[in-house]
Each structure stands twice: as structure tokens, then as C-alpha cells.
């Protein structure tokens, strides 16, 4: 999806925090999502945030939304090797019935 | 609870051959989707369905057809496969529009 952009790769050391960034272009986006894809598997919803929120925390995950800059980030605290995966940002525009996905960020956690 | 099941998991086709990918969900979801995943491009929506008997085009529908004859099944057909259709195909379903979408394990299709 051209409308949603992510950097392709991120490497962190085990125990550090990871921050995965995403930018989107449509100001009418209502919901923004983070999905995780492990090797050989489908996508799993990690968390989502409604556009009238600016932060959401769920255990080790923190989502920050800057609507002015159309910037979304996912912070993973105390990153573990099991967090190694591809992380997709996705947006739902207005009343659209489908999601628009970014290209995914490959997170590699080094021991 | 199986969730979303895709068959087959892998397939190699020759150019011009046809095939059907099957997606089945046991969660009584209304919405079902077919995506393709290509390197560096994320997931792109091919077709989707908002209920039994309905289908609609997504972002990249050309070369594909779909059918939703039963609520639990969503079929994706390739009438004449082309190398450009080499991809990983994911099916997903959701109960309502803004609720979580559950994904299948994917079908890796290679067209030679």
C-alpha cells in the first residue's frame, strides 16, 4: 500500500525497547492497527487504536498516534527473541470495508 | 476451534492453468477477504465479501474471481494463471467491519 509506509527492517538487542514507525496519508482514517506475522504464518492482530485516541498501552505494547503528522508507532518494551517477526501497520479509512496495509517491518531481535 | 483454514498450503501451476483456493471459517463471520502478499508491498486486497452471496472488488481484482455461496466458505479462482500471480495468498474473516480480522495460514502459489 502506497498510502501506508513503514521502514523495512529493524534490529534490536534482547531486553531493549523496539519502536516501529508507520506513516499514513488519509486523515479520514478511523482505526489504525498493528499486526504481527511470524514465519510461515498468517497475520495476528496485536493491537489497534481509534483515531480519537493518542495513546494505548497493552502490557509490553504501547501505541502512539500523532494525527497531525499522520504518524503511528508501536513500542515493544523488553523485546524478546519471540518478538522477531514482521509487523504490519494498517489503516481503515472512514467507512471503508477493507484495510490498507503497509509493506511491513522485519524486526530482528539479537541475543 | 479451527478459525480460518486455507487449502491448499502450497501449489505450483503452469502458465494458463486454472485453480481454486478454498477458505473456510467456523466463526460465523459475515466478512471474508482475500489478500495477496508480495515482497516489499504488504498485503493487497483482491476481493472481499460482506455476506453470503455477495462479493466485491478490492485493490487488485484483475485475473481473479470469487464466490461466496455459503457463509463459511470464500473461494478464490484463477482462470488462467500468469507468472505475475506468483504470491502468498491470505484469506481473512471478521464478524463486523471494525472488529478483529482473523487470518488463515496462507497459500504459497508459484506460477511457472
Amino acid at each position: 500500500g502506497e498510502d501506508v509506509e513503514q521502514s523495512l527492517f529493524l534490529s534490536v538487542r534482547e531486553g531493549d525497547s523496539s519502536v516501529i514507525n508507520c506513516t499514513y496519508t488519509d486523515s479520514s482514517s478511523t482505526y489504525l492497527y498493528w499486526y504481527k506475522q511470524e514465519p510461515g504464518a498468517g497475520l495476528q492482530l496485536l493491537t489497534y487504536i481509534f483515531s480519537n485516541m493518542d495513546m494505548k498501552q497493552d502490557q509490553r505494547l504501547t501505541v502512539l498516534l500523532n494525527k497531525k503528522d499522520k504518524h503511528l508507532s508501536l513500542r515493544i518494551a523488553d523485546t524478546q527473541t519471540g518478538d522477531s517477526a514482521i509487523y504490519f501497520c494498517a489503516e481503515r479509512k472512514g467507512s471503508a470495508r477493507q484495510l490498507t496495509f503497509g509493506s511491513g517491518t522485519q524486526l530482528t531481535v539479537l541475543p | 476451534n479451527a478459525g480460518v483454514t486455507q487449502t491448499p498450503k502450497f501449489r505450483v501451476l503452469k502458465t494458463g492453468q486454472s485453480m481454486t483456493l478454498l477458505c473456510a471459517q467456523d466463526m460465523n463471520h459475515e466478512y471474508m477477504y482475500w489478500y495477496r502478499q508480495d515482497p516489499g508491498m504488504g498485503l493487497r486486497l483482491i476481493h472481499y465479501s460482506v455476506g453470503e452471496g455477495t462479493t466485491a472488488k478490492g485493490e487488485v481484482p484483475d485475473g481473479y474471481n470469487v464466490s461466496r455461496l455459503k457463509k463459511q466458505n470464500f473461494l478464490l479462482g484463477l482462470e488462467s494463471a500468469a507468472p505475475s500471480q506468483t504470491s502468498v495468498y491470505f484469506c481473512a474473516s471478521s464478524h463486523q467491519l471494525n472488529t478483529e480480522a482473523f487470518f488463515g495460514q496462507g497459500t504459497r502459489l508459484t506460477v511457472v
Side-chain angles (χ1 to χ4, degrees), chain B residues 50-68:
Chain B
V50 302
E52 181 179 319
T54 75
T55 63
K57 293 180 180 179
E59 184 185 350
V60 288
D62 294 341
Y64 305 95
N65 57 74
V66 288
S67 63
R68 183 97 181 269

Side-chain angles (χ1 to χ4, degrees), chain A residues 31-104:
Chain A
Y31 286 87
L32 294 131
Y33 303 80
W34 283 105
Y35 280 85
K36 176 183 181 182
Q37 184 183 31
E38 295 181 357
L43 277 69
Q44 175 191 5
L45 180 66
L46 282 179
T47 187
Y48 66 93
I49 189 167
F50 189 52
S51 58
N52 68 352
M53 300 168 64
D54 52 20
M55 187 181 88
K56 181 178 181 181
Q57 188 154 2
D58 183 1
Q59 299 181 347
R60 292 192 297 124
L61 304 179
T62 303
V63 178
L64 295 177
L65 175 60
N66 181 329
K67 282 194 71 175
K68 174 175 171 290
D69 295 338
K70 298 188 184 69
H71 183 265
L72 182 73
S73 67
L74 174 69
R75 179 177 180 271
I76 305 173
D78 187 25
T79 313
Q80 303 297 308
T81 54
D83 294 324
S84 291
I86 301 175
Y87 291 80
F88 290 93
C89 168
E91 65 170 347
R92 187 182 303 281
K93 303 176 186 179
S95 61
R97 289 178 164 141
Q98 64 267 28
L99 299 176
T100 300
F101 286 84
S103 56

